[in-house]
Amino acid sequence: MSLAAAPGLGRILSEWTFDPGLVCALVASALLYVLAVRRARRRWPAARSLSFLAGLAVIAVALLSGVDGYADSLLSIHMAQHMLLVMVAPVLLAWGAPVRLALAASPRRGRRRIAAVLRVAPVHAALHPLVGSVIVCALSLGTCFTGLFALTLRNATVHELEHAALLLGGLVLFVPLVAADPLPRPPTALARLCSLTLVMTAMVVVGAVLSFQGSVRYAHYAATARAMHISALGDQQLGGVVMWFGGGLLGALLTVALVGEALFVEERRQRRRDLYAAVPTATGQGGGTGR
């Protein structure tokens, strides 16, 4: 891609590359999901289908559009790509509830096999929300504050592995937080809140360092920004803003949504308890003891 000038949003979204392996994986995932919807024993919510397909679309934008093409030239776009892979796409995919759909579309033997996999000790452990938060924090801090970041810019294979790790880490984080799929042990509201707070803190730290550091942190981006006739330090500060406010805002919205859901569930449970207490007993009294 030409480095004559800084790209605008339209240019970023209009320049696409073709990766046969990734395209086949995304198309196959979409087809399998749609076929499972058609085979499901009950009507599957359209909102969940749209969410899953939107998650695949976000992956395509992050890895096939100009976002990926310019990520090697502008740190701000690189950080935006990270946000798409670790925060946006995983939430949409998780809310699509692919495991629940697989259970609804499978025969009895298939459902037993899926349930057995969910009970395997490593899978059970990985579904704890704090595990995902530690993985995402390690990826966020490790890729930005170690030599790994520079290595990803020099080695295409390492860069692709970084993308895969970010997406997988995001899924491990958000599958139990969203809890749209059946879980062996659903996390408590406190565990969800602690997990999101930890992730938001790590992203704020990364954003603050990039925003307030008085010099260009990565020599690679100093050269590419100069070739595009823009300020490398300004682009770095913009990348910090993307991590700081992007990660923080998304985390805050998810926190509000999860807390709201927890309150709704608790209110529904309380209504059921009140309804049960109001049901007359055999002696004609309410749920309490007779006089």
Side-chain angles (χ1 to χ4, degrees), residues 203-260:
M203 292 187 175
V204 166
V205 168
V206 174
V209 170
L210 294 179
S211 296
F212 296 117
Q213 184 168 343
S215 59
V216 177
R217 186 174 185 86
Y218 309 108
H220 171 90
Y221 285 111
T224 54
R226 190 181 307 114
M228 302 176 79
H229 309 294
I230 64 174
S231 167
L233 185 58
D235 178 60
Q236 176 176 290
Q237 292 169 346
L238 179 58
V241 171
V242 170
M243 288 294 291
W244 195 345
F245 290 100
L249 178 60
L250 287 173
L253 291 175
L254 288 170
T255 300
V256 170
L258 293 176
V259 171

Side-chain angles (χ1 to χ4, degrees), residues 19 155-165:
D19 182 332
N155 190 302
T157 300
V158 176
H159 202 172
E160 291 175 359
L161 290 175
E162 178 199 31
H163 293 160

Side-chain angles (χ1 to χ4, degrees), residues 1-3 7 67-78 153 220-226 228 230 232 235:
M1 294 183 180
S2 173
L3 299 183
V67 170
D68 187 58
Y70 288 105
D72 287 345
S73 305
L74 293 172
L75 181 61
S76 57
I77 296 181
H78 196 144
L153 296 172
H220 171 90
Y221 285 111
T224 54
R226 190 181 307 114
M228 302 176 79
I230 64 174
D235 178 60

